[in-house]
């Protein structure tokens, strides 16, 4: 994996608010996916649910791609798209669906939330993004919050070693897939990267076609509609807004942003499922959000326009030290969840 050139300071300043909005849309939709997975997962096997979700998402994405006439991405983008499609879109979904059937939701959430940390480490090693102190501090705070939420929601259920291993595999494939997608976005549009990644993931899950057909024959309509919802919104739309934001910030920062998901899940479960959270769960959600705020904040030096120029280093200062989470890589990355 190679590093792509960073955008200019003026371009970065203009695109950052839109990237934040895109990231917020992604996080909200991924959080909503937990509610739908709970319904669909009772009627569909893990592989069948992953395949049905990816097929639904692929149909929507391919239709939009044809309408926009974007065509095929450049050859240089294909390695990253292929890796993200196989690992993030495909393997991650199967591992997570399977793992959540063997361990309680709290344990699954806790294990999968190591993904943003792995993402930041991989992005530092392969994309040259660096590990700014504020990013590390924010991720540490958010992970602590995710741990509080996970433990408070565990319900005292048993822990399966296989289930934990599957959730850990989901975290690893998620992190690698996001970091692989980052350099591909230097050559392909967010829509292209998402569409072909989703299609590749669906093709990889075709061995589960028999399970999907059986599920469609016996599952209630509500479960099937939830599966379609997962494909259209948390997959097609959310992965596209994720790629858009990833192209305009760092992978480490985006990974840290996904720590807002547990907090949103708590609120959605409260409003939609009438699951009243305890005060410890609410505290954990607040800690998650506080960590996200810290990880996405800038040092005073990075926030002052022209600070890098004033010390005679030109634009290079944005790529090191405290500002590394702003100007490194190809200027765009998102840490994932995900769902």
């Amino acid at each position: 994996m190679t590093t792509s050139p960073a955008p200019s300071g003026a371009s970065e300043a203009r695109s950052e608010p839109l990237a934040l909005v895109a990231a917020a849309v992604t996080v909200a939709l991924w959080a909503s996916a937990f509610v739908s997975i709970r319904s669909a997962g009772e009627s569909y096997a893990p592989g069948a649910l992953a395949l049905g979700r990816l097929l639904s998402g692929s149909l929507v994405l391919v239709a939009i791609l044809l309408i926009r006439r974007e065509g095929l991405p450049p050859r240089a983008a294909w390695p990253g798209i292929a890796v993200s499609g196989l690992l993030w879109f495909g393997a991650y979904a199967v591992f997570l669906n399977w793992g959540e059937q063997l361990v309680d939701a709290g344990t699954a959430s806790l294990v999968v939330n190591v993904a943003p940390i792995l993402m930041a480490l991989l992005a530092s090693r392969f994309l040259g993004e660096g590990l700014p102190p504020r990013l590390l501090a924010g991720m540490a705070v958010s992970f602590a919050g995710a741990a509080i939420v996970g433990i408070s929601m565990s319900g005292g259920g048993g822990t399966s070693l296989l289930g934990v291993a599957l959730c850990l595999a989901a975290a690893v494939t998620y992190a690698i897939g996001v970091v692989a997608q980052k350099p591909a976005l230097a050559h392909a549009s967010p829509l292209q990267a998402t569409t072909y990644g989703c299609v590749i993931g669906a093709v990889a899950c075709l061995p589960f076609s028999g399970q999907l057909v059986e599920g469609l024959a016996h599952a209630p309509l509500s479960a099937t509609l939830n599966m379609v919802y997962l494909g259209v919104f948390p997959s097609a739309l959310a992965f596209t807004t994720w790629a858009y934001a990833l192209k305009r910030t760092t992978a480490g920062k985006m990974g840290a942003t996904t720590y807002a998901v547990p907090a949103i899940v708590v609120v959605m479960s409260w409003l939609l499922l009438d699951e009243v959270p305890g005060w410890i769960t609410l505290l954990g959600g607040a800690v998650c959000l506080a960590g996200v705020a810290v990880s996405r904040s800038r040092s005073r030096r990075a926030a002052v326009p022209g600070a890098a120029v004033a010390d005679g280093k030109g634009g290079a200062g944005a790529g090191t030290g405290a500002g590394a989470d702003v100007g490194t890589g190809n200027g765009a990355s998102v840490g994932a969840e995900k769902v």
Side-chain angles (χ1 to χ4, degrees):
M1 301 176 189
T2 57
T3 305
S4 304
S8 67
S11 175
E12 181 181 279
R14 288 193 300 269
S15 63
E16 184 166 352
L18 292 177
L20 287 173
V21 172
V25 170
T26 297
V27 168
L29 289 175
W30 282 353
S32 75
F34 283 99
V35 178
S36 294
I37 288 174
R38 183 173 304 179
S39 171
E42 295 177 354
S43 304
Y44 287 94
L49 179 57
L51 176 59
R53 175 179 179 173
L54 291 170
L55 287 175
S56 301
S58 295
L59 288 174
V60 173
L61 288 166
V62 169
I64 296 174
L65 194 76
L66 291 175
I67 292 173
R68 292 179 57 86
R69 299 182 180 180
E70 290 199 16
L72 294 171
R75 182 180 300 178
W78 278 106
I81 292 175
V83 172
S84 66
L86 290 172
L87 295 184
W88 187 18
F89 288 82
Y92 167 79
V94 176
F95 287 146
L96 183 62
N97 293 342
W98 189 4
E100 287 194 348
Q101 291 187 352
L102 300 177
V103 298
D104 58 76
T107 300
S109 172
L110 179 60
V111 176
V112 172
N113 269 308
V114 305
I117 298 173
L118 294 175
M119 233 174 279
L121 295 174
L122 290 172
S124 175
R125 172 64 178 84
F126 294 104
L127 303 180
E129 290 187 359
L131 294 170
R134 286 173 181 264
L135 176 62
L136 293 176
M139 294 184 81
V141 172
S142 288
F143 185 78
I148 294 173
V149 171
I151 293 172
S152 68
M153 297 178 68
S154 63
T159 299
S160 160
L161 290 179
L162 176 59
V164 171
L166 288 167
C167 290
L168 183 59
V172 172
T173 52
Y174 169 34
I176 296 175
V178 169
V179 174
Q181 188 189 57
K182 169 74 170 172
L185 291 169
H187 309 283
S189 71
L191 179 60
Q192 288 175 324
T194 303
T195 300
Y196 292 104
C198 192
V199 170
I200 289 172
V203 171
C205 290
L206 284 178
F208 301 109
S209 297
Q211 294 180 356
L212 178 59
V213 172
E214 182 179 354
L216 288 170
H218 299 95
L221 179 61
S222 60
T224 301
L225 290 176
N226 273 294
M227 181 175 66
V228 173
Y229 170 83
L230 288 169
V232 176
F233 293 98
S235 291
L237 177 56
F239 275 73
T240 301
T241 52
W242 167 276
Y244 177 89
L246 183 61
K247 192 167 186 173
R248 290 160 176 81
T249 186
T250 66
K253 251 189 176 182
M254 285 304 294
T257 302
T258 61
Y259 275 122
V261 169
I264 299 175
V265 169
V266 169
V267 175
M268 286 188 170
S269 297
W270 189 356
L271 296 177
L272 302 178
L273 301 178
D274 199 27
E275 296 179 353
V276 181
W279 68 268
I280 295 179
T281 304
L282 292 174
L283 174 63
V287 173
C288 285
L289 295 177
V292 172
V294 171
S295 67
R296 295 201 66 95
S297 64
R298 295 188 182 187
S299 66
R300 291 183 178 180
R301 177 181 176 81
V304 176
V309 178
D311 64 6
K313 295 181 181 179
T320 59
D325 58 343
V326 178
T328 54
N330 65 355
S333 177
V334 167
E337 170 227 58
K338 110 26 266 232
V339 178

